[in-house]
């Protein structure tokens, strides 16, 4: 690492159970191609591996992935294994279970409770590990309606030593309360960002007892899987100009300003963007700038 390189530690740290991580992490979804899943062009393998190694070099110690993050030629978990194994002792790899895709890339039915062990074992095989640091249950229609059985199945795998910590994804506050009655929940991973206020209540619920809130699409915003695109609100552009930063960096900085328990996991397939994302952790927004950006937010339904 060069002397003037940014470091993920500038964003501060938080604890996922007994695991301390820098609040600025990396999402693995975009490692596999120019667009997620089977869309777009498969990523150059050497470039994807360079992204992972550069992220760790810059202090990223929290990577978010899933077995269903794959394109025609690339698997995020396999890339992580190839790039980083043997893994650094302080690296936390979080994965998600619940959704799945068949070998053609088509989405399959969400997992039943008795199928979740297979999802966990698939991640273990791909990552080359004997346990998973953190598994998020991604709530779908089936698992939302029957959360106790789904989360209970993961709690059994936690008791068996295959999983260290558990979290929820796409969850509501009532899901969090129900899951906590079964096993500890160390994080919630929901869609949320400067221009999407629908999950503000969950952010507050997590803050109340120190649960990490880990938003996805914090940079992409309403663009979601397609990315944030070119159009940006004038207030974002104005704050970016004031800091000599990109709009994406300001989106990340705003996210990290929303509470010490709020983490960020921006995804990219470009090594240069890794450094830009990590540098966002050192941006300090003024109260006036935060008020200006808060005006972007839609009221929760």
């Amino acid at each position: 690492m060069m002397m003037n390189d940014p470091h993920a530690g500038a964003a501060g740290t938080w604890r996922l159970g007994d695991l301390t991580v820098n609040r600025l992490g990396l999402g693995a979804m975009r490692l596999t191609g120019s667009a997620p899943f089977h869309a777009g062009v498969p990523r150059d393998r050497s470039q994807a591996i360079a992204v992972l190694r550069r992220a760790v070099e810059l202090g990223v110690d929290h990577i978010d992935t899933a077995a269903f993050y794959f394109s025609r030629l690339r698997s995020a978990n396999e890339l992580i294994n190839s790039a980083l194994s043997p893994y650094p002792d302080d690296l936390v790899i979080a994965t998600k279970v619940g959704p799945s895709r068949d070998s053609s890339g088509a989405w399959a039915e969400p997992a039943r409770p008795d199928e979740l062990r297979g999802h966990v074992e698939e991640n273990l095989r791909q990552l080359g590990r004997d346990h998973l640091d953190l598994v998020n249950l991604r709530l779908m229609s089936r698992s939302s309606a029957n959360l106790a059985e789904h989360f209970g199945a993961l709690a059994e795998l936690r008791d068996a030593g295959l999983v260290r910590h558990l979290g929820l994804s796409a969850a509501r506050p009532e899901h969090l309360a129900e899951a906590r009655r079964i096993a500890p929940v160390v994080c919630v991973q929901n869609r949320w960002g400067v221009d999407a206020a629908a999950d503000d209540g969950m952010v507050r619920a997590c803050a109340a007892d120190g649960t990490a809130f880990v938003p996805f699409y914090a940079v992409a915003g309403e663009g979601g899987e397609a990315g944030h695109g070119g159009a940006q609100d004038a207030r974002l552009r104005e704050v970016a100009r004031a800091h000599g930063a990109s709009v994406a960096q300001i989106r990340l900085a705003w996210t990290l300003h929303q509470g010490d328990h709020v983490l960020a996991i921006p995804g990219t397939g470009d090594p240069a963007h890794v450094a830009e994302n990590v540098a966002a952790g050192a941006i300090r927004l003024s109260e006036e700038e935060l008020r200006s950006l808060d005006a972007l937010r839609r009221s929760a339904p």
Side-chain angles (χ1 to χ4, degrees), residues 2 6 18 31 48 62 74 98-99 105 117 137 164 175 189 231:
M2 303 294 290
D18 62 349
L31 291 175
H62 171 210
R74 303 284 177 257
R117 184 184 182 103
L137 174 63
R164 190 164 178 177
H175 296 140
Q189 189 182 92

Side-chain angles (χ1 to χ4, degrees), residues 208-226:
D209 70 348
T211 301
F213 184 80
V214 189
F216 56 86
Y217 297 152
V219 172
E222 289 301 289
E225 293 172 5

Side-chain angles (χ1 to χ4, degrees), residues 15-277:
R15 292 180 69 82
L16 298 170
D18 62 349
L19 302 171
T20 300
V21 297
N22 291 324
R23 293 173 61 218
L24 201 299
L26 174 72
M29 185 174 69
R30 295 189 178 275
L31 291 175
T32 65
S34 61
F37 310 122
H38 269 37
V41 179
R43 187 74 64 188
D44 177 80
R45 178 180 172 79
S46 62
Q47 182 174 331
I49 286 176
V51 165
L52 288 159
R53 291 177 176 167
R54 181 61 169 153
V56 170
E57 181 184 32
L58 296 177
V60 169
D61 55 12
H62 171 210
I63 297 176
D64 177 79
T65 186
F68 54 86
Y69 286 175
F70 65 88
S71 65
R72 292 177 180 85
L73 298 178
R74 303 284 177 257
S75 155
N77 282 352
E78 187 276 328
L79 289 165
I80 292 168
N81 190 347
S82 296
L84 303 178
S85 180
Y87 297 108
D89 291 341
D90 62 348
L91 180 65
V92 173
I93 300 178
T95 189
K96 288 173 288 298
V97 297
S100 65
R101 300 163 65 210
D102 64 26
S103 58
S104 72
W107 289 101
E109 285 294 313
R112 301 188 308 268
D114 63 307
E115 294 174 322
L116 289 175
R117 184 184 182 103
H119 284 211
V120 167
E121 290 175 344
E122 181 181 19
N123 280 280
L124 289 169
R125 285 192 301 271
Q126 293 175 351
L127 291 166
R129 308 197 75 172
D130 59 7
H131 76 279
L132 298 176
D133 298 319
L134 169 59
V135 172
N136 289 304
L137 174 63
R138 179 62 180 263
L139 296 181
M140 314 290 282
S141 57
R142 177 184 289 172
S143 51
S144 294
N146 197 7
L147 184 146
E149 289 190 22
H150 284 79
F151 201 73
L154 290 180
E156 291 177 4
L157 298 179
R158 175 179 174 269
D159 293 341
L162 294 182
V163 176
R164 190 164 178 177
H165 295 296
L166 298 176
L168 295 172
S169 179
R172 299 192 300 270
E174 59 267 29
H175 296 140
L176 178 58
E178 183 178 359
R180 282 174 175 157
R181 292 193 287 269
I182 299 168
V185 179
V186 303
C187 71
V188 171
Q189 189 182 92
N190 281 11
R191 181 171 182 159
W192 188 72
V194 66
D195 50 5
D199 272 310
D200 285 357
M202 180 60 89
V203 179
R204 292 190 292 269
C206 288
D209 70 348
T211 301
F213 184 80
V214 189
F216 56 86
Y217 297 152
V219 172
E222 289 301 289
E225 293 172 5
H228 64 71
Q232 298 289 349
D233 185 272
R235 285 161 288 197
L236 277 165
R237 296 196 304 270
E238 180 181 355
V239 175
R241 282 195 298 270
H243 288 269
S246 69
V247 167
Q249 287 177 309
I250 297 304
R251 284 177 173 271
L252 287 172
W254 178 91
T255 300
L256 293 167
H257 275 69
Q258 302 311 300
D260 291 343
H261 70 299
V262 179
L263 280 57
I265 48 169
T268 183
D270 184 337
H273 288 164
V274 173
E276 291 178 11
N277 290 341

Side-chain angles (χ1 to χ4, degrees), residues 1-7 54 58 275 279:
M1 188 171 70
M2 303 294 290
M3 183 176 296
N4 293 325
D5 280 345
H7 193 276
R54 181 61 169 153
L58 296 177

